[in-house]
Structures are given as C-alpha cells and as structure tokens.
Amino acid sequence: MTRTTLPRPARVIDTVADVLATPFLSAVEVDELCAPLKQRHAQIRHLCLLLGVRELPRRPDGLPLVGRRMVEERLNGGSEYTAPSGFNWSK
C-alpha cells in the first residue's frame, strides 16, 4: 500500500503575520463573518448591514473587498461615524 501526498496549494497563508499583512479580509475570513451565507451578493448585503455602509467594492470574482481595519474598529465597539469637521447638525 503506497501513500500518496497531495500537492500543496500555490497560495497558502502560513502564519498570523501573513494574515495581518494583508489590508483586506481573505475569502475564508469573509466566509466566517457571513457564516450561513454562501453567495457573494448575499455576503455583500450582510457585510453592508454589519458594518453600516451603503456598498462595498468587490473583486472580479465577486468577493467583497472589506478592509481589515474597518472590520476591527466596527466589531470592537467602534463609535458611530462622525463628520471630520465635527459638526453635529441634529438636535
């Protein structure tokens, strides 16, 4: 009985440093955030609601481009967006 080994995929992220070096979430991370959803358009809608944005850019294959910093700030209890000028027009 001979044992065959499968070839290693061309692009594998091996360490945590490799993951944190990329400014955008990987496909696996997007899939984890949108756990039951599989279709890319449904994932985009879910992430827009989760992050409080109107739309997200996407790659040609449909994967939403979500900034790592944006997700970390929003999911770690980031405050609501304030205008850069500091004006608050609501009473």
Side-chain angles (χ1 to χ4, degrees), residues 4 6 10-11 22 34-35 42 44 52 62 80 82-83 85:
T4 60
L6 297 174
R11 176 79 172 111
T22 60
C34 307
I44 289 174
E80 200 131 331
T82 57
S85 61

Side-chain angles (χ1 to χ4, degrees), residues 47-63:
L47 289 171
C48 286
L49 288 173
L50 182 69
L51 300 174
V53 296
R54 289 189 75 171
E55 60 184 42
L56 290 169
R58 54 182 125 175
R59 293 188 336 196
D61 66 350
L63 182 74

